[in-house]
Amino acid sequence: MSTIPELHIAPSLLASDFGHLADAARIVEEAGAEFLHFDIMDGSFVPNISMGMPAVKALRPVSRAFFDVHLMIMQPERYVEDFVRAGADSVTVQAEACLHLQRTLAQIRRAGAKAGVALNPATPPEVLEYVMDDLDMILVMTVNPGFGGQSFLPAMLAKVRRVREMIARTAHPIHLEVDGGIEPETTGPVTAAGANVLVAGTSIYGHSGGVSEAIHLLRAAARSEE
Ligand code: DX5
Ligand code: ZN
C-alpha cells in the first residue's frame, strides 16, 4: 500500500499572454502554484511551434517555482543539456520521440535535472516497465499533444490508475502528472485515479475569475485515491 504524494499545480504557460510571460510566471507563483509548465514544440513531433530555451532562461530569475519542461520535440536528446542550463528542474521527453529512451533519461539526470517521460494517449504504460528506476516523473497525456484547450480523454483514467500501480511497486518516489483538458470537472476523477501533478493551461490562465481563484478551484476539486 503506497500513499499518494502531495498534490502540485503546474500552470501551463502555453495558455498565457506571450507578450507578458514574466507576469504570467509571477502571478501563478504568488497564487501558490509549485510548478511552472513549459510546453516546447518543434512543428515536427507536433504540428505546432511554441517556445524554446530562451523563454526558460528569461523566466528563471523571476520565479522560484519548479520548472517543469515538457519537450514535444523529435530526438529530444539533442537539447537536454541546453534546457537544464537554461533553468529546467525537470525535463520530460515523449516516449514516442526517443529511439533510446533509457539513455536519454540517464542523460537528463546526469545533466542535473529530474527525468520525466510523457505518454501519448495511444501509448501503453508498459513501455516504461524496464525504465522505472531511471525516471522521476510520468506524464500521462490526457489529450493528444500540440494544442491547449482540448477536451480531456476519459479513456486515460484507466491508464492513470495503471501507472499509479506501477509506481507503487517502485522503491523511489515518482510524480504522476496529467496534462490536457484539466479543469475542476476532470480533476476529481483524475486525482482519484492517482495523479498528483496537475498541468492546466486554459482552466488557469483563461479563468474569468483570475488565476488565484482557478488554482483554488482545482485544489478543491482534487480527491485522494479511494
Ligand atoms: C498540450 C500541452 C499542454 C497544454 C494543456 O500539448 O502539453 O500542456 O498546454 O492545455 P490545456 O490545459 O488548455 O488543455
Ligand atoms: Zn504539456
Side-chain angles (χ1 to χ4, degrees):
M1 203 37 208
S2 75
T3 52
I4 306 295
E6 200 186 341
L7 185 79
H8 297 296
I9 306 292
S12 166
L13 287 169
L14 191 64
S16 73
D17 176 356
F18 275 31
H20 298 92
L21 275 180
D23 290 338
R26 235 179 261 122
I27 54 172
V28 291
E29 188 180 4
E30 281 166 16
E34 301 88 355
F35 283 36
L36 189 64
H37 187 81
F38 291 78
D39 286 304
I40 313 297
M41 305 180 182
D42 65 352
S44 179
F45 180 75
V46 290
N48 206 0
I49 296 179
S50 55
M51 55 175 84
M53 292 80 87
V56 177
K57 190 174 179 197
L59 294 186
R60 192 64 281 184
V62 309
S63 174
R64 282 187 307 270
F66 183 91
F67 276 16
D68 171 29
V69 175
H70 177 194
L71 300 184
M72 286 161 276
I73 66 177
M74 298 301 291
Q75 296 174 272
E77 65 277 4
R78 294 173 295 161
Y79 298 106
V80 162
E81 285 80 11
D82 288 341
F83 276 104
V84 175
R85 222 173 289 126
D89 292 300
S90 68
V91 175
T92 296
V93 294
Q94 290 279 156
E96 307 81 8
C98 297
L99 210 45
H100 306 288
L101 182 58
Q102 194 281 337
R103 179 183 291 156
T104 303
L105 294 173
Q107 180 190 0
I108 296 169
R109 281 183 169 175
R110 208 178 315 116
K114 300 286 187 195
V117 181
L119 302 174
N120 274 347
T123 304
E126 284 71 24
V127 299
L128 302 180
E129 195 171 342
Y130 301 104
V131 293
M132 291 297 281
D133 289 341
D134 302 292
L135 52 80
D136 305 292
M137 169 138 66
I138 298 172
L139 169 50
V140 174
M141 287 305 300
T142 42
V143 298
N144 288 289
F147 302 95
Q150 303 180 80
S151 298
F152 180 87
L153 296 168
M156 295 305 106
L157 287 173
K159 195 198 282 193
V160 172
R161 278 192 287 272
R162 173 90 185 97
V163 171
R164 176 51 66 194
E165 288 165 11
M166 290 169 72
I167 290 173
R169 289 197 298 273
T170 62
H172 71 289
I174 297 175
H175 284 306
L176 205 178
E177 185 171 48
V178 284
D179 185 2
I182 301 300
E183 54 188 356
E185 293 70 28
T186 49
T187 290
V190 93
T191 50
N196 80 295
V197 182
L198 305 177
V199 178
T202 308
S203 73
I204 291 181
Y205 286 109
H207 183 66
S208 55
V211 301
S212 184
E213 182 180 283
I215 289 172
H216 174 77
L217 290 173
L218 286 174
R219 282 197 204 284
R223 287 208 305 271
S224 62
E225 201 174 26
E226 282 132 13

